[in-house]
Amino acid sequence: ALLARARGEDARHVEPDRAAVTIGAEDTFEHDLEGGPILRRRVTAQAERVAELLRRSGQQCGCVVLKLKDPEFHTTTRRRTLPAVTADGRVLAKVALELLDAARLRAPGVRLSGVAATALQPARAPRQLTLDEPERARGERLGETLDKIRDRFGRDAVARATLLSDEDRE
């Protein structure tokens, strides 16, 4: 049996439609980023992409994960559990940036960064309401509206101002 598996022979049933346990977005950079505003914009954009993927899959997350790889290929991973599940890109970005600020890399520069959402659950699942419920709902509605605009007019039709570089703002 072990020899058959080593040859790739396995009679067990394959389940290709398993529910996702993580939704993420990561990028490897052509040149190492030394931190600062460019890296912060990249992490923010990744968090926004993750939030969009969450909304499109009808899910919310309860934990945000930040992954960083330095030029020597050491990987640093940090995670934070959220007080309430969400698919709001602003919330995911805020937590990811806090994790970035607290991360201690072995070498200067970042070769790769990524943001992921874990502790997934259906968006319509019953949940504990929070005191900031109106703000949470407003943030998620904004994300859904941005998704609809992008669907209709293209990916570059609209972006959050925090994602724009200084040159883009002029």
Side-chain angles (χ1 to χ4, degrees):
L2 187 57
L3 181 60
R5 287 205 181 130
R7 290 190 301 245
E9 300 169 3
D10 193 347
R12 291 179 293 180
H13 179 69
V14 175
E15 296 181 34
D17 295 328
R18 247 182 29 199
V21 294
T22 301
I23 293 177
E26 66 180 41
D27 298 302
T28 301
F29 308 120
E30 186 175 338
H31 304 288
D32 297 341
L33 299 181
E34 295 296 327
I38 295 173
L39 180 58
R40 294 179 71 79
R41 276 196 306 274
R42 290 296 189 94
V43 168
T44 300
Q46 291 165 344
E48 290 285 345
R49 286 191 343 237
V50 169
E52 180 180 356
L53 292 169
L54 284 168
R55 289 187 300 269
R56 290 186 186 280
S57 67
Q59 298 187 72
Q60 294 183 322
C61 73
C63 182
V64 175
V65 180
L66 175 71
K67 176 181 173 182
L68 301 168
K69 191 174 286 189
D70 68 25
E72 297 174 1
F73 298 99
H74 296 114
T75 303
T76 301
T77 306
R78 298 289 180 263
R79 70 183 61 237
R80 179 170 305 151
T81 300
L82 301 173
V85 296
T86 189
D88 183 351
R90 288 180 314 154
V91 172
L92 300 185
K94 179 180 181 289
V95 172
L97 290 173
E98 289 170 358
L99 293 170
L100 176 64
D101 292 340
R104 305 231 189 312
L105 300 175
R106 291 184 182 181
V110 174
R111 164 71 43 158
L112 171 147
S113 72
V115 176
T118 64
L120 304 180
Q121 62 181 274
R124 303 294 177 217
R127 63 182 178 76
Q128 178 68 43
L129 297 179
T130 60
L131 294 175
D132 66 342
E133 200 62 27
E135 183 178 337
R136 185 203 64 78
R138 197 169 35 252
E140 291 184 6
R141 280 194 317 272
L142 173 61
E144 292 167 358
T145 302
L146 293 174
D147 294 344
K148 289 176 185 173
I149 292 170
R150 290 182 187 123
D151 287 346
R152 183 163 182 189
F153 299 106
R155 300 262 349 126
D156 298 329
V158 64
R160 291 188 190 262
T162 57
L163 297 177
L164 300 176
S165 66
D166 291 337
E167 297 82 39
D168 294 334
R169 293 176 194 201
E170 294 177 354

